[in-house]
Amino acid sequence: MIRLRRFALAAAAGALFVSPAAGHERAWRLGLVTTVSGAGTASPQQVWAYADPFNARRLIACGRMTDPADNLDAGYVSTSSDGGSTWRRTLLENSTRWVSEESCTFGQDGNAYFIAGASNFYAGVPHHETGHMHFYVSRDGGAIWRRTWTRKDGWLDWTTTADAYDPGSHSDAVVVFANQGTDVLGHWLPTQPVAVMSTDYGHTFSPLIALQSSQYRYDAVWAGGNTVLPDGTILFSASAARTSSASATRDWGSGEVAVEVFAFDPATGKLSVRAVLRVRHRVPIFTAAIARGNSSGNFSGRLYVAWVEEEARESALWLATSDDRGFHWRARAIARGFGTDYPAGCSVSPPIDQVRLAATPDGTLGILWMENRANALFSISRDGGRTFASPVTLTQSDTSTLAPFETIPSNDYWLQTALDVESGKPNPQGAWLGTPGVSVVMERDTLDDISLAAVRDGTFRAFWIAPHGTAHVLMTRSVVAGETDGFGSMLSILRRGRCVRGNMELARPARPQVIAPLHVPGTSNVTSSIAVDPLRYGYDARVHTVYVELQISNTGHGTLHGPFLLVAMNPHSDFGSVTVAGAQQHVDGHPAWTLAGNASSNLAPGERTEALRITVHIDRLHGLPTNYLAGDAFSTALRLYSVDAARTNRSAG
């Protein structure tokens, strides 16, 4: 699958507005902003947050965090036992260098559940198909966790976890819904989505449960939440990329993208499609959050699903409602903004990004969304989603700076790939991703994720991940709506938001280049027997300097004889011209370094070289062409030459 941040296809549209009532913010009671994650280089990237439905003082937040200092991805759970005033991290899942696919939920009697995937990480990249899912259970509301299950059959991709309790039979079902899964270790089940179920509180789980027959073949199913009906049926809302079952094409964005609700029945163990809410062609749809009203009034049991559609020149926030357990829905757009081609001048209404939903016990619907990946806004509806209060801004972030978020072990052309695919051209990444190299990817430093929980006492608690110094932190605050005025059928768009400012020019993507043959006298090229393993990376915005620390491993069957010469071929950047600092020598103008093995000058199969730090200065920093794209801060192909191998070959000759 293409490794790209969000982008969309061009379509022209305008923006709709509703004027807010003056002084509306006086009706909101906002709690103090509290830090959930601690300080340090590790940054949360994803968050799912839940309130214990039986105890208003218990909350959990979970997700994935990354640490550029060690190039690690880990899973986390943070817990509050005082209603969100204070937090502590109660679980860190870092059993391998890449842990992802996290989700969590509360169950009955103080139980809480968390799942994460520990990928099989080697040769510088994760191999999910041979990784394992780890399931954890807490019996005290998230304070103490214990691993209860490891999935011997391997991986589940993009999970969301739900707990369904049947008070009549006193039975409990924990269900993990996933985009895709391995049916045996190393082999992906060809159908998706999938689910697994536990009826013993997370100690054992069923084999993969595949979706019942469908006229479509799903290429990606990203769940944005779940809710449980009174009969125990679990509904999962998702955005799904799909094609006709007879189609030979499998490429995200080339066919239909739909908002769908999937139903899982714990009594029968069957997974099915409950309803299709919206279908677009080649238009990305994201989030698809779901909530259920629990009040005893006119809207008791009403279901809500919200999602965001993003095109180049328009974004729209949609809301759908159902009063028959999710079989039939009514949908409409409730807010509109500019699209993913949002200009740097902030001259138009900001784009709408993610959305989350939650409903309090009295039936109040809360909606939290991001605009321009910089501001988090919140509103409520007390009439079943017909009208909404004028929104309140919970946080505003200065997102005008650039920050790295990933390093990959290949020669990359990130921005050129994004622009090609966005314009309808084939994805060109496969032509160079197999070339050994190293890349540091950078984008605008933005809000990363949001989540919303409805607390038993009638309050809402919003969560967001925001830039903070050189890292990102998970923040939260409570929201209580009084006699809020300014209700309207559309959510008001109150401001233009923040976007890239300053004197940065637009980025000019580096063009893919053919790597010319390079003959280094007295050496033999052993690049075909190596893998690049990035260890850590970083960016100093004050002086526009990028660094990456890496090792080279021997992936062949024979010993490679050192010493070695590592050559960086055609270093490039999407943000300007680059100068590689600290090279020991240059070969035909290419920076080069001498390396040896960790244990000796040679590399046996599986062994690594000593660590090498490459530092690059971006000579003239350019900005991104839109606020939604990423680019390579630095990328290069790498070649490894063995000096001793050439000497040995000459002696043998």
Side-chain angles (χ1 to χ4, degrees):
M1 179 179 291
I2 185 171
R3 300 176 304 99
L4 293 177
R5 291 275 168 131
R6 298 181 182 182
F7 58 87
L9 305 171
L16 300 180
F17 301 87
V18 170
S19 299
H24 75 281
E25 294 193 6
R26 290 195 298 269
W28 298 99
R29 299 203 306 273
L30 304 180
L32 297 175
V33 176
T34 303
T35 301
V36 177
S37 60
T41 58
S43 298
Q45 299 293 313
Q46 175 199 29
V47 57
W48 300 94
Y50 295 93
D52 188 332
F54 305 101
N55 187 331
R57 299 186 62 79
R58 289 176 173 171
L59 299 104
I60 57 173
C62 70
R64 181 174 62 91
M65 63 193 307
T66 63
D67 191 347
D70 293 307
N71 197 25
L72 296 176
D73 287 71
Y76 73 90
V77 180
S78 293
T79 303
S80 175
S81 58
D82 58 7
S85 297
T86 61
W87 293 80
R88 65 186 182 94
R89 192 174 67 195
T90 53
L91 176 60
L92 180 66
E93 167 50 272
N94 59 351
S95 54
T96 69
R97 283 183 57 185
W98 184 291
V99 176
S100 59
E101 322 310 319
E102 298 87 355
S103 61
C104 57
T105 195
F106 274 107
Q108 304 292 313
D109 303 322
N111 290 336
Y113 306 105
F114 171 74
I115 192 170
S119 188
N120 186 12
F121 192 97
Y122 61 89
V125 293
H127 296 78
H128 294 340
E129 69 279 2
T130 52
H132 294 277
M133 304 305 293
H134 295 161
F135 196 83
Y136 293 82
V137 175
S138 171
R139 302 298 187 195
D140 55 6
I144 300 174
W145 295 86
R146 182 170 65 91
R147 188 196 296 183
T148 57
W149 177 68
T150 295
R151 187 169 186 266
K152 64 180 180 61
D153 291 327
W155 197 257
L156 297 171
D157 181 72
W158 191 269
T159 71
T160 180
T161 302
D163 178 82
Y165 178 72
D166 183 354
S169 62
H170 301 285
S171 61
D172 186 90
V174 181
V175 177
V176 180
F177 177 89
N179 166 48
Q180 195 175 16
T182 52
D183 49 359
V184 295
L185 192 64
H187 179 264
W188 294 102
L189 186 73
T191 60
Q192 54 191 113
V194 296
V196 294
M197 178 174 66
S198 172
T199 56
D200 57 4
Y201 299 95
H203 287 80
T204 62
F205 280 81
S206 68
L208 278 187
I209 301 169
L211 182 70
Q212 291 185 298
S213 60
S214 171
Q215 62 178 314
Y216 293 98
R217 181 180 61 192
Y218 293 94
D219 302 321
V221 179
W222 290 300
N226 63 77
T227 192
V228 182
L229 301 181
D231 66 358
T233 301
I234 306 171
L235 301 183
F236 298 94
S237 58
S239 55
R242 64 187 198 177
T243 54
S244 167
S245 58
S247 172
T249 303
R250 292 187 73 103
D251 187 14
W252 157 246
S254 64
E256 293 181 347
V257 184
V259 178
E260 300 195 25
V261 172
F262 297 87
F264 185 87
D265 184 355
T268 62
K270 292 182 178 180
L271 177 65
S272 60
V273 176
R274 171 80 33 124
V276 178
L277 284 64
R278 176 88 164 156
V279 178
R280 300 295 305 274
H281 184 70
R282 296 179 65 87
V283 174
I285 298 174
F286 293 98
T287 302
I290 191 169
R292 177 178 176 272
N294 298 309
S295 69
S296 57
N298 294 331
F299 309 105
S300 176
R302 173 166 287 188
L303 294 167
Y304 307 90
V305 171
W307 65 91
V308 174
E309 300 179 11
E310 293 181 297
E311 302 181 66
R313 302 188 67 80
E314 181 187 31
S315 58
L317 173 55
W318 282 73
L319 180 73
T321 59
S322 171
D323 294 311
D324 63 356
R325 300 170 56 242
F327 287 98
H328 301 90
W329 295 80
R330 298 174 299 276
R332 76 186 198 279
I334 59 173
R336 298 184 186 273
F338 205 78
T340 52
D341 282 351
Y342 190 50
C346 295
S347 57
V348 293
S349 304
I352 302 167
D353 300 304
Q354 298 184 45
V355 61
R356 295 289 185 264
L357 295 176
T360 56
D362 67 358
T364 301
L365 175 68
I367 182 168
L368 174 71
W369 74 99
M370 284 197 300
E371 62 175 24
N372 195 29
R373 300 199 304 174
N375 309 318
L377 293 91
F378 177 80
S379 183
I380 63 165
S381 173
R382 290 198 175 102
D383 56 7
R386 187 177 66 85
T387 62
F388 287 88
S390 297
V392 61
T393 300
L394 301 183
T395 186
Q396 288 182 292
S397 296
D398 180 3
T399 60
S400 61
T401 60
L402 297 168
F405 70 86
E406 185 179 31
T407 179
I408 56 175
S410 61
N411 185 31
D412 193 29
Y413 292 89
W414 184 294
L415 182 55
Q416 185 61 55
T417 297
L419 296 176
D420 282 352
V421 176
E422 192 176 48
S423 63
K425 298 178 181 178
N427 177 8
Q429 276 186 320
W432 57 78
L433 282 182
T435 304
V438 66
S439 302
V440 176
V441 186
M442 189 158 64
E443 68 165 1
R444 191 166 59 100
D445 204 7
T446 62
L447 296 183
D448 275 338
D449 200 8
I450 56 175
S451 192
L452 182 66
V455 186
R456 183 179 176 84
D457 62 7
T459 64
F460 291 94
R461 183 158 286 275
F463 297 77
W464 62 88
I465 299 173
H468 182 75
T470 59
H472 281 208
V473 294
L474 176 59
M475 314 291 288
T476 183
R477 76 187 310 177
S478 62
V479 187
V480 179
E483 294 303 318
T484 309
D485 56 8
F487 281 80
S489 59
M490 294 282 290
L491 286 167
S492 306
I493 301 176
L494 303 179
R495 59 199 55 75
R496 292 177 175 176
R498 299 184 179 187
C499 53
V500 175
R501 298 183 182 277
N503 298 317
M504 292 189 295
E505 298 177 11
L506 297 184
R508 292 183 289 272
R511 301 291 182 181
Q513 302 179 39
V514 176
I515 306 298
L518 178 65
H519 175 66
V520 182
T523 69
S524 293
N525 189 341
V526 295
T527 307
S528 61
S529 299
I530 69 167
V532 180
D533 187 4
L535 302 176
R536 52 191 60 89
Y537 61 97
Y539 171 66
D540 189 338
R542 298 170 299 175
V543 292
H544 308 317
T545 298
V546 184
Y547 78 87
V548 59
E549 191 172 311
L550 56 86
Q551 288 180 306
I552 304 297
S553 61
N554 179 3
T555 59
H557 300 292
T559 297
L560 300 178
H561 298 278
F564 304 99
L565 185 68
L566 184 69
V567 183
M569 305 291 294
N570 300 341
H572 57 270
S573 172
D574 291 325
F575 294 89
S577 58
V578 295
T579 301
V580 179
Q584 296 173 345
Q585 58 182 291
H586 286 78
V587 179
D588 285 353
H590 302 289
W593 300 263
T594 300
L595 290 177
N598 253 332
S600 68
S601 61
N602 300 328
L603 278 184
E607 288 187 346
R608 299 181 178 189
T609 65
E610 59 189 344
L612 171 69
R613 186 182 180 109
I614 299 177
T615 302
V616 177
H617 178 72
I618 304 175
D619 297 324
R620 186 181 179 187
L621 187 70
H622 304 310
L624 288 167
T626 78
N627 288 348
Y628 278 69
L629 293 177
D632 289 308
F634 160 69
S635 185
T636 185
L638 294 172
R639 287 184 179 170
L640 188 70
Y641 296 85
S642 169
V643 177
D644 190 73
R647 187 182 303 118
T648 301
N649 291 339
R650 287 196 303 271
S651 299

